[in-house]
Amino acid sequence: MQTYHIVTFGCQMNKHDSEHIAGLLESELGLEPVDDLRRADVIVFNTCAVREGAEERLRGQVATLKPLKAANPDLVIAVGGCVAQHEKERLFALLPHVDVVFGTHNVAEIADLVRRAADSRGRVAAVPDSQRRDLEATPSIRETRWHAWLPIAVGCDNFCSYCIVPHTRGRERSRPFEDVVAEAERLVNDGVVEITLLGQNVNSYGRDLYGTPRFAEVLRAVARTGVARVRFVTSHPKDLSDETLAAIAEEPAVCEYLHLPAQSGSTRVLTAMNRRYTKEQYLEAVERAYAAVPGLALSGDIIVGFPGETDEDFEDTLDLVRRCRYDQLFTFLYSPRPGTRAATMGDEVPRDVAQERFDRLVKIVQRTALEKNLALVGSTVEVLVEGSSKRDAAMLAGRTRTNKLVHAPVPDDADPDRLVGTLVPVEVTEAHAWHLVGRVAGYQHR
Ligand code: 5AD
Ligand code: SF4
């Protein structure tokens, strides 16, 4: 075994876990990464179970590996993440070429599992319900030098009726306050410019360890390590505190950006989803956030076509979305997840009805997002340069503090590679719904 390739689906927590998988495969097995999966001796799929599409894509991708496996009997194929945790050993029957199945609590053991599968040329599974080795204490290879994911809690206690996550990631477990801050300090020493704090529900951070939530406190402590930018996902509207909003407003490093999933604008549907807030309470939280944080950008998630959603319920969602003036909205068609309460509710919304609602929603957000971006034309925003634009190598691509994508021509005489990971002021010249265009108003090579 010499080389590996990791395919990551799903959320930021999975991206973070994949950075540890890379670290472990390199440090404990001496493997090297390859871009082309066909040249890898070890292929790892880190999977997502949150919607059906992700599972189907996994099945499709693994099926295409059959000829590779036939050509190279030593090839080890490992499947981890939420699908693995949920399906456990059943995955071997569903995906006949898979050698290793590892759950969300076993990421730290990946090197050992791969080695055992390779030595025995047999199948190895590890999917218990609790962690045996602390993942955060293992090596990790970050995707970029300038950005780091920092989990503050894993798992979720909320049991929204549609969601598989509490079943695949387990109950909420916070990391000790001191560990989080120490890791942030280490990352800053390592040259990290932007830290994203991760948790299914960051607002309740610490409740399991300390009896009361300490999110605002940990956010401020991380912001004071000297890092240029701190972000966090995801917030649950029922737990959004004024202390957290004050930390966003007052700590210069904390980005003016809030991802606050509503899921629906109908109180009736919200109750069936077990979200534990009403439409009015959500709108009140949004108004509180806009009032507390000047220049705040707001994003959200909406599920369309939840069981029993009527036209009237959906009108409530449209109304909520209009009133929230989102900068960005992630919209999802409801996908029943076996094992969740919603999957047994019946009362399905026909696919074409849900699709039509989905399209209407996207149009509205396109309008509010464009309006908010137009208001930025002429102003100067701070952009963290991430690389060149996918479509045009002469254009830099980066993100504002408010998480907006910005394209700007590479300044004359500048070396784009040496701008990656730096913060540059950009004067906004053009606004679109999903990105801004501007002119770099000053730079310093890394
Ligand atoms: N169907 C559709 N969307 C879902 N989400 C979570 N579970 C489902 C499901 N069963 C969405 C929610 C959540 C985001 C990460 O994914 O909007 O906030
Ligand atoms: Fe997917 Fe959710 Fe698991 Fe993340 S936590 S990998 S989004 S199912």
Side-chain angles (χ1 to χ4, degrees), residues 67 137 288 320 423:
R288 236 177 344 119
L320 176 133
L423 297 165

Side-chain angles (χ1 to χ4, degrees), residues 9-11 13-14 47-50 82 164-165 168-169 200:
F9 299 96
C11 68
M13 197 64 90
N14 267 13
T47 63
C48 174
V50 87
C82 287
I164 194 81
V165 172
T168 60
R169 291 265 176 193
Q200 295 306 331

Side-chain angles (χ1 to χ4, degrees), residues 340-407:
T340 63
R341 205 147 51 76
T344 62
M345 285 178 183
D347 219 356
E348 273 169 41
V349 175
R351 189 78 187 186
D352 54 329
V353 174
Q355 187 64 52
E356 188 262 340
R357 289 177 186 166
F358 184 95
D359 297 342
R360 280 170 70 193
L361 194 54
V362 172
K363 276 200 198 106
I364 289 179
V365 189
Q366 208 154 6
R367 214 158 46 222
T368 59
L370 178 61
E371 272 165 25
K372 284 181 101 172
N373 283 351
L374 281 169
L376 293 172
V377 173
S379 69
T380 298
V381 292
E382 177 199 276
V383 173
L384 174 56
V385 180
E386 295 181 348
S388 302
S389 150
K390 278 190 205 110
R391 264 181 283 157
D392 182 356
M395 283 287 220
L396 294 175
R399 300 243 164 213
T400 63
R401 294 172 58 85
T402 51
N403 206 33
K404 292 175 192 280
L405 178 64
V406 180
H407 287 158

Side-chain angles (χ1 to χ4, degrees), residues 6 29 31 47 52 123 140 156-157 163 172 176 194 277 279 305 309 333 342 347 351 356 392 416-417 423 437 442:
I6 304 172
L29 297 180
L31 304 185
T47 63
E52 200 173 8
R123 298 181 127 180
S140 129
C156 185
D157 290 344
C163 189
E172 183 173 277
E194 184 177 84
Y277 52 82
K279 176 189 187 187
E309 182 188 73
L333 285 173
D347 219 356
R351 189 78 187 186
E356 188 262 340
D392 182 356
D417 289 341
L423 297 165
V437 179

